[in-house]
Amino acid sequence: MINEDKLNRLSKRERLYYDIMKSGNSLYLQGYPGTAKSAIGLSIANKLEMKYVDKRLSQMDETDIGLYPVLKNSYIELEKIYKLRKVGVITEEIYEKIKNNILINIKEQNDADSLSFAVPQWALDANTEPTIIHIEELNRANSHVRNAALQMLNERQIGDTHFNDNVLIMASGNYGEIDGTEVDEMDLALSNRLVIYDHNLSLDEWIKEYAEERVLQIIIDYLRAKPREFIKLPSKKEMRWASPRSWTNLSKFLSFRYGMSPNIKDELIPVLLEVGESFIGRSVSEFVRYCQDVSNISIKDIIEKWEEVKDEVSNFNRARLSEIISNLKFIDLTQLNDHEINNIISFLKSVWERSGDELTPYLLYLTETSYKGNNFDVHIKILQNFKEKLKSLKELANINLKK
């Protein structure tokens, strides 16, 4: 039994998927490749302390999913199901149903042998503990394998073996022509049996639920500054492209080589120029440019030593200033000392003197979050330096409201 404490570990999206499965429906996630369809199933299982069974139909045949014919001796089967009931793998109700069917076969056929199908071990094991079974690439499998999987999705059974209530089943697949993948279209009779949900992963979700603890900070900062680079679909001739999965794979490679705090100039940039395109395709060019900028001056430098770097910052273009200000939103100001806060104020004033446009989103962010947690004092300290800007924003808002 999954208790409420465990359920509270789930994100809003994960709880939605869990509830669909737990209600007895067949959940089918369709989405672009590399958008964490597999990862979210694994995440749900880990948070709820469930076993996770991942089956990729495109790599399987009928025998892998319960369509391998075997000759069974009814008396041996009776002994097996008795043992399964005794250890709790099957319920009393299922036990009685299977037992009666076997006894009827013996009586009517006057024969203890019958032709049946071998249930795969992973399916039997699933009934021994809370389990999520994820059928991946449903619309890329051949029709025989897909039809076998559908019995499992729709009837929650393989052959005569029924899954108990502790087993949750989900499936997933790609769009097809929309995302450049080769799939077989599902007919209406099939699709109507599934709860088809368009799965997409936002940048904020990816960062909060996965990347914060596993992905290099410079990748996170870059994607926050350039959210359009998070998922960048390729043209027809391209094989490599940016997705949550490819950014994650790039981070795994870089952290394996250099740890979680690589030297940007001497380590990160050279290897990105060498193999970065292999991970994220043409998106590597923009990422390298960002790394080159950061290798000179980072948000950390501005906070800690503004006086030393202000002359170089004065040469930044508007796009680079917007990137830095965007990343400021993710700095916990309450953890900074007075010197560091004053450096931020000085930096923001320098931006204001050049052009107030880049400053507007951050000032609005400070205003909107001033009453969250312990933010008030430090936010007000910054905002009071920009009273004129805030006044003009208020006047503009009033004009728009009147319109």
Side-chain angles (χ1 to χ4, degrees):
M1 183 69 178
I2 306 297
N3 59 43
E4 198 62 31
D5 287 340
K6 289 182 180 179
L7 290 175
N8 287 335
R9 300 172 186 171
L10 302 179
S11 68
K12 183 178 179 181
R13 181 190 296 272
E14 290 170 342
R15 182 60 188 267
L16 172 65
Y17 292 175
Y18 170 82
D19 287 346
I20 291 174
M21 290 187 285
K22 191 62 177 176
S23 66
N25 286 291
S26 299
L27 173 64
Y28 176 75
L29 302 180
Q30 65 176 4
Y32 294 105
T35 53
K37 296 185 293 295
S38 305
I40 198 165
L42 178 60
S43 177
I44 294 171
N46 287 340
K47 290 179 181 180
L48 299 182
E49 299 175 20
M50 300 177 71
K51 183 179 179 180
Y52 182 70
V53 177
D54 180 9
K55 293 296 174 183
R56 297 176 184 270
L57 290 197
S58 62
Q59 301 172 9
M60 301 171 68
D61 60 32
E62 301 96 304
T63 62
D64 296 313
I65 205 161
L67 290 184
Y68 183 78
V70 292
L71 191 66
K72 289 187 176 182
N73 181 279
S74 298
Y75 296 113
I76 294 176
E77 290 305 306
L78 281 172
E79 184 179 355
K80 284 182 179 179
I81 64 168
Y82 172 76
K83 290 179 179 179
L84 291 173
R85 184 201 64 173
K86 193 172 182 180
V87 297
V89 173
I90 60 176
T91 65
E92 183 70 27
E93 180 182 359
I94 293 175
Y95 166 73
E96 289 294 333
K97 183 178 179 180
I98 298 175
K99 182 188 76 173
N100 290 335
N101 287 338
I102 294 175
L103 293 175
I104 290 172
N105 181 67
I106 294 174
K107 183 178 180 180
E108 292 184 350
Q109 303 297 327
N110 195 27
D111 191 351
D113 293 326
S114 62
L115 187 65
S116 184
F117 292 99
V119 178
Q121 188 63 47
W122 60 264
L124 295 174
D125 292 342
N127 270 347
T128 65
E129 59 183 310
T131 300
I132 292 178
I133 299 174
H134 187 170
I135 304 301
E136 294 202 58
E137 300 178 341
L138 179 64
N139 56 353
R140 298 190 67 187
N142 69 55
S143 59
H144 299 295
V145 176
R146 187 164 64 245
N147 290 337
L150 289 175
Q151 183 195 29
M152 180 169 57
L153 286 167
N154 295 326
E155 302 173 26
R156 294 181 54 81
Q157 69 180 79
I158 292 181
D160 293 329
T161 300
H162 293 254
F163 292 109
N164 60 39
D165 292 339
N166 287 326
V167 177
L168 305 181
I169 305 174
M170 63 186 292
S172 61
N174 300 128
Y175 286 116
E177 185 177 349
I178 296 175
D179 56 19
T181 54
E182 294 184 6
V183 302
D184 289 331
E185 297 297 328
M186 291 188 286
D187 61 36
L188 293 178
L190 167 57
S191 63
N192 193 239
R193 291 183 172 95
L194 304 173
V195 179
I196 300 177
Y197 190 90
D198 287 310
H199 172 82
N200 56 70
L201 183 68
S202 71
L203 176 60
D204 288 342
E205 281 183 288
W206 179 71
I207 292 174
K208 182 179 179 181
E209 298 298 325
Y210 180 82
E212 276 184 345
E213 297 179 358
R214 301 176 181 90
V215 174
L216 293 181
Q217 188 62 45
I218 190 168
I219 291 178
I220 294 175
D221 289 344
Y222 170 69
L223 294 175
R224 279 171 170 163
K226 301 279 188 179
R228 291 184 179 180
E229 297 293 325
F230 182 48
I231 300 175
K232 202 160 187 177
L233 295 179
S235 65
K236 290 184 178 181
K237 295 183 179 180
E238 289 180 304
M239 298 293 292
R240 300 158 295 189
W241 54 290
S243 70
R245 177 165 55 204
S246 59
W247 284 113
T248 299
N249 289 340
L250 176 60
S251 180
K252 286 179 181 178
F253 167 69
L254 295 173
S255 60
F256 171 77
R257 268 205 163 191
Y258 307 116
M260 292 301 287
S261 300
N263 181 289
I264 297 174
K265 186 175 182 179
D266 298 330
E267 296 175 337
L268 211 59
I269 293 175
V271 78
L272 285 174
L273 291 171
E274 182 180 0
V275 299
E277 188 175 356
S278 300
F279 288 91
I280 54 175
R282 55 191 167 90
S283 294
V284 72
S285 298
E286 190 69 16
F287 184 43
V288 168
R289 185 200 66 79
Y290 177 85
C291 291
Q292 288 169 337
D293 289 342
V294 170
S295 67
N296 296 323
I297 303 293
S298 68
I299 186 66
K300 183 179 179 181
D301 295 324
I302 290 173
I303 292 173
E304 295 180 354
K305 47 185 181 181
W306 167 249
E307 290 299 322
E308 296 178 30
V309 301
K310 65 180 182 180
D311 290 338
E312 291 182 67
V313 173
S314 66
N315 295 320
F316 286 177
N317 59 31
R318 296 179 65 174
R320 179 72 178 114
L321 290 174
S322 292
E323 290 173 1
I324 293 175
I325 293 173
S326 177
N327 283 326
L328 263 180
K329 294 179 183 179
F330 304 98
I331 300 295
D332 185 356
L333 300 177
T334 63
Q335 300 300 309
L336 304 183
N337 58 42
D338 289 341
H339 172 71
E340 292 168 332
I341 294 296
N342 288 332
N343 281 343
I344 290 177
I345 292 172
S346 297
F347 164 66
L348 295 175
K349 283 182 175 180
S350 74
V351 176
W352 167 245
E353 291 171 359
R354 291 179 58 180
S355 170
D357 292 342
E358 285 75 28
L359 200 58
T360 300
Y362 186 63
L363 294 181
L364 290 175
Y365 165 78
L366 292 178
T367 303
E368 293 168 358
T369 57
S370 290
Y371 293 94
K372 292 183 179 180
N374 300 318
N375 290 336
F376 185 78
D377 289 341
V378 65
H379 283 203
I380 293 301
K381 181 177 181 179
I382 295 174
L383 289 170
Q384 67 184 4
N385 291 275
F386 304 95
K387 292 180 181 178
E388 182 180 344
K389 178 65 175 176
L390 292 170
K391 183 180 178 181
S392 65
L393 290 175
K394 183 177 180 181
E395 291 173 351
L396 181 60
N398 289 334
I399 292 172
N400 289 334
L401 287 173
K402 289 178 181 178
K403 289 181 178 179

